[in-house]
């Protein structure tokens, strides 16, 4: 019944776009211990500028491994990641500030990165982004790809549960059975973190590709292409930012 | 009948205990097998209309092997799995809820809906149509079951679970499945699957250390707080989360909890039904 497929597909699309409340993510109500943050050559990929697949946005990073932030450029220039509106004002494009903030928020949602600083943790074939908000820790993946990066947060929670159990960390989590509806990735277990298992950082860095396979191979990653334009050295690097602005303005 | 059911659940309990012992730890929080709802659905499902192939999509519809539902084979190049759909009359699950849904969908005996409306659509496309309650035969719950879609026995053995539930209305004289089928799809159950979390969401600012409803943050961060609380509520109430973050019941008792939420929700917005008439080509 195409009805069923249309309904489910449309529901999934709308809810994913508007409310990224997906269940297969690393969300921990405590700090997570990682071995070390990225340093020196490990940050090389983040010293480049990247352009979105449709060519309409560019991004670059400012900072070091302990505290790095992503910045976005559209045809009007630096995007307003500092003007993300409160939920009550979100989706309302009445004021230009709201609209600019909404667009910035939308880009950050696709990248699964915060508006502020995050730590960069070296991982398999890429790096993890580790950031906190209030009491929560979140970990997402920035995968290295030939000529680009792929961003995402979707984790194989079935594998994650097994790895946590193997490392003796089960007392820090509750595992729920999941039921697959036949579409997309097949997670049969969901993980609810009550605390951060001591080995969680090690598990994530030693099994990154297997855990985040949906980001790289599936449809859960947002791909950005490396730009031949130089990455701005900082937010006051007006010339480099302008060059990126012109580039993305060409895409319309 | 009772004796064999007790034997069955006794066997299941032993298998679950064995599974957990072998796993070496108490992994299962909620404690119940995730195929309980699916096992309840099968004997309660009814067949409506003939099963025929959908010539446009290449999707094939047949009767399911158990003879109680419909088997959908995906198009040849699709990555989707074969799924089975089972229809259970809402009135046999909960007559009071069925009556409440009827009243909510047909105020004054008439439903007003917009054609061509997508989910969450606020567009003005399509036309406004009316449907008399007398044209409705009955409301059904449609359950999607996929082979080996869950893990039973201490999360160790594949079993079949209910991955999605929809609420639809069957029209008199029109089949639900197959050619010439038309159904009235309602968004209300999807809304209910989110509304069950309302109470635990009140604790969000304290639990997350920020307010996902008020603070100016990217949606994915607000969503992280909500997801954590949803998982917690689901774990404590014999639910899990479906693919779009809604509450998915794991047992018939949990299903009743979900259905109890239905009458509390909105069926209309600005005078138009939150739903649509679906024509299958």
């Amino acid at each position: 019944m195409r009805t069923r497929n249309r309904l489910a597909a449309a529901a999934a699309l709308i809810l994913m776009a508007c409310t990224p409340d997906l269940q297969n993510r690393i969300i921990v109500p405590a700090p997570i211990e990682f071995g070390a943050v990225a340093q020196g050559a490990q940050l090389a990929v983040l010293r480049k500028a990247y352009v979105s697949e449709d060519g309409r946005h560019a991004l670059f990073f400012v900072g070091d491994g302990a505290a790095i932030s992503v910045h976005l450029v559209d045809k009007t220039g630096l995007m307003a990641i500092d003007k993300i509106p409160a939920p009550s004002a979100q989706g309302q494009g009445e004021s230009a500030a709201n609209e600019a903030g909404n667009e910035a928020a939308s880009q950050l949602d696709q990248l699964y990165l915060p508006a502020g600083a995050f730590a960069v943790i070296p991982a398999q074939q890429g790096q993890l982004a580790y950031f906190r908000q209030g009491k929560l820790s979140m970990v997402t993946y920035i995968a290295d790809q030939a000529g680009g990066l792929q961003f995402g947060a979707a984790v194989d929670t079935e594998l994650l549960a097994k790895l946590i159990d193997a490392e003796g960390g089960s007392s820090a989590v509750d595992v729920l059975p999941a039921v697959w509806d036949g579409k997309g990735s097949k997670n049969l277990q969901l993980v609810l973190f009550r605390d951060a298992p001591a080995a969680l950082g090690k598990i994530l860095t030693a099994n990154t590709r297997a855990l985040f396979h949906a980001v790289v191979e599936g449809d859960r990653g947002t791909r950005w292409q490396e730009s031949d334009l130089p990455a701005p050295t900082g937010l006051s690097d007006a010339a480099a930012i302008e060059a990126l602005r012109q580039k993305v303005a060409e895409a319309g | 009948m009772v004796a064999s059911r007790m034997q069955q659940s006794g066997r299941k309990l032993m298998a679950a205990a064995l599974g957990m012992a072998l796993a070496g730890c108490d992994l299962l929080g909620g404690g119940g097998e995730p195929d309980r709802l699916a096992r309840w659905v099968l004997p309660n499902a009814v067949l409506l209309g003939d099963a025929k192939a959908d010539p446009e999509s290449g999707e094939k519809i047949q009767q399911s092997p158990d003879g109680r539902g419909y088997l959908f084979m995906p198009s040849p190049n699709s990555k989707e799995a074969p799924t089975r759909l089972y229809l259970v009359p809402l009135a046999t699950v909960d007559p009071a809820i069925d009556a409440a849904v009827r009243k909510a969908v047909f105020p004054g005996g008439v439903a007003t809906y917009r054609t061509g409306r997508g989910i969450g659509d606020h567009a003005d496309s399509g036309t406004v149509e009316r449907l008399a309650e007398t044209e409705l035969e009955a409301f059904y719950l449609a359950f999607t079951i996929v082979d080996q879609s869950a893990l039973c026995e201490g999360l160790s053995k594949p079993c079949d679970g209910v991955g999605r539930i929809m609420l639809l209305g069957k029209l008199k004289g029109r089949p639900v499945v197959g050619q010439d089928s038309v159904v009235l799809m309602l968004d209300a159950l999807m809304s209910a699957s989110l509304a069950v979390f309302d109470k635990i969401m009140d604790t969000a600012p304290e639990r997350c250390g920020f307010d996902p409803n008020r603070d100016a943050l990217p949606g994915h961060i607000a969503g992280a707080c909500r997801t954590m609380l949803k998982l917690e509520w689901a774990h404590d109430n014999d639910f899990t989360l479906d693919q779009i973050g809604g509450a998915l019941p794991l047992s018939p008792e949990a299903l009743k909890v979900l259905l109890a939420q239905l009458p509390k929700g909105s069926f209309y917005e600005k005078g138009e039904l939150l739903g649509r008439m679906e024509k299958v080509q």
Side-chain angles (χ1 to χ4, degrees):
Chain A
M1 183 157 67
R2 279 202 303 155
T3 300
R4 170 187 62 90
N5 284 342
R6 272 208 302 263
L7 176 71
L13 271 174
I14 298 237
L15 283 167
M16 265 159 57
C18 303
T19 52
D21 289 7
L22 300 175
Q23 68 276 49
N24 299 342
R25 295 169 50 185
I26 309 288
I27 304 162
V28 182
I32 303 171
E33 272 185 40
F34 286 101
V37 299
Q39 295 172 52
Q42 292 171 325
L43 290 165
V45 291
L46 302 184
R47 301 295 181 212
K48 300 182 185 160
Y50 293 86
V51 175
S52 59
E53 279 195 298
D54 66 5
R56 295 210 187 106
H57 298 91
L59 66 78
F60 60 96
F61 299 90
V62 174
D64 61 33
I68 209 164
S69 54
V70 68
H71 298 273
L72 294 149
V73 177
D74 69 4
K75 63 184 181 203
T76 67
L78 268 179
M79 291 184 76
I81 59 172
D82 54 336
K83 291 196 176 62
I84 294 170
S88 54
Q90 269 173 25
Q92 289 164 35
E94 280 151 20
S95 77
N98 263 1
E99 206 172 295
N102 275 330
E103 292 198 26
S106 171
Q107 289 301 314
L108 290 175
D109 279 343
Q110 290 182 51
L111 296 168
Y112 280 98
L113 291 175
F118 58 93
V120 183
I121 312 295
Q124 287 179 335
Q125 296 164 69
Q127 38 277 309
L128 298 171
Y130 165 53
F131 49 98
R132 286 179 56 71
Q133 185 74 44
K135 298 177 184 177
L136 303 191
S137 294
M138 283 150 279
V139 182
T140 63
Y141 188 30
I142 304 174
D144 293 341
Q145 304 253 272
L149 296 175
Q150 192 128 339
F151 299 82
V155 155
D156 184 330
T157 42
E158 208 181 321
L159 175 61
L160 180 63
K162 290 188 171 79
L163 291 170
I164 290 172
D165 184 44
E167 291 282 342
S170 293
S171 60
V173 302
D174 279 325
V175 179
L176 290 82
V179 185
W180 186 46
D181 68 352
K183 300 182 189 326
S185 51
K186 188 179 178 181
N187 284 272
L188 299 187
Q189 297 174 42
L190 298 178
V191 175
L192 165 63
F193 286 94
R194 300 289 189 180
D195 199 346
L200 182 58
K202 188 179 97 171
I203 288 169
L204 294 174
T205 54
N207 302 275
T208 326
R209 264 297 155 118
L211 285 168
F212 288 95
H213 63 82
V215 171
V216 177
E217 296 150 20
D219 52 1
R220 291 304 188 87
T222 309
R223 184 170 161 70
W224 291 62
Q225 297 276 107
E226 201 179 301
S227 171
D228 40 17
L229 291 171
T233 53
L235 296 181
S236 49
D237 187 351
I241 292 171
E242 171 60 19
L244 288 173
R245 189 201 66 75
Q246 283 181 17
K247 173 99 183 159
V248 299
E250 281 165 25
Chain B
M1 196 57 170
V2 173
S4 73
R5 240 188 260 140
M6 278 176 65
Q7 275 173 7
Q8 247 193 351
S9 51
R11 270 203 298 272
K12 277 199 277 189
L13 273 175
M14 268 202 48
L18 188 64
M20 283 193 276
L22 286 174
C25 59
D26 181 11
L27 277 181
L28 270 184
E33 299 285 43
D35 67 342
R36 282 167 293 146
L37 182 61
R39 288 172 171 274
W40 171 88
V41 162
L42 253 69
N44 289 288
V46 295
L47 282 177
L48 300 170
D50 293 328
K52 281 205 185 114
D54 178 343
E56 265 195 48
S57 74
E59 204 176 50
K60 286 199 168 71
I61 309 168
Q62 312 155 38
Q63 223 175 71
S64 58
D66 48 54
R68 305 213 63 113
Y70 306 93
L71 173 65
F72 292 83
M73 297 303 294
S75 328
N77 293 322
S78 164
K79 284 190 220 170
E80 295 176 8
T83 62
R84 288 175 275 134
L85 191 74
Y86 297 89
L87 301 165
V88 178
L90 182 58
T92 63
V93 183
D94 194 325
I97 295 290
D98 181 70
V101 170
R102 261 187 190 262
K103 212 167 151 196
V105 172
F106 297 99
V110 177
T112 307
Y113 67 96
R114 182 172 287 277
T115 62
R117 189 188 173 121
I119 297 167
D121 230 0
H122 301 283
D124 290 322
S125 56
T127 55
V128 175
E129 304 284 343
R130 295 202 153 66
L131 181 74
E133 190 183 338
T134 49
E135 294 181 61
L136 179 89
E137 186 176 304
F139 287 113
Y140 288 86
L141 294 172
F143 298 87
T144 297
I145 297 178
V146 174
D147 288 354
Q148 306 205 336
S149 52
L151 289 173
C152 290
E153 296 184 21
L155 294 167
S156 67
K157 186 175 165 210
C159 55
D160 306 342
V162 171
R164 193 184 326 123
I165 311 171
M166 293 184 294
L167 175 62
L168 57 88
K170 181 191 182 305
L171 304 186
K172 286 178 183 167
R174 306 301 294 269
V176 164
V177 179
Q179 299 198 318
D180 304 325
S181 66
V182 176
V183 294
L184 181 65
M185 299 298 307
L186 299 175
D187 294 344
L189 193 61
M190 196 167 67
S191 307
S193 77
L194 296 170
V196 287
F197 299 121
D198 282 353
K199 259 214 182 119
I200 199 169
M201 288 304 165
D202 289 342
T203 69
E206 201 279 316
R207 298 294 312 288
C208 300
F210 61 92
D211 190 334
N213 293 332
R214 293 225 157 77
D215 293 350
L217 292 165
H220 72 94
I221 295 182
C225 172
R226 284 194 291 265
T227 295
M228 184 181 77
L229 294 174
K230 285 185 192 178
L231 284 167
E232 202 174 288
W233 186 92
H235 172 266
D236 293 343
N237 289 279
D238 208 13
F239 281 73
T240 185
L241 299 192
D242 65 22
Q243 310 279 327
I244 54 180
L248 187 67
L250 295 174
S251 65
E253 292 75 25
L255 174 65
K256 296 229 167 73
V257 167
L258 177 62
L259 294 177
Q261 194 70 39
L262 269 176
K264 302 179 194 173
S266 306
F267 284 75
Y268 277 82
E269 187 182 63
K270 294 183 183 160
E272 292 174 15
L273 184 68
L274 290 164
R276 68 215 53 80
M277 203 71 85
E278 283 281 345
K279 286 189 185 303
V280 179
Q281 312 298 339

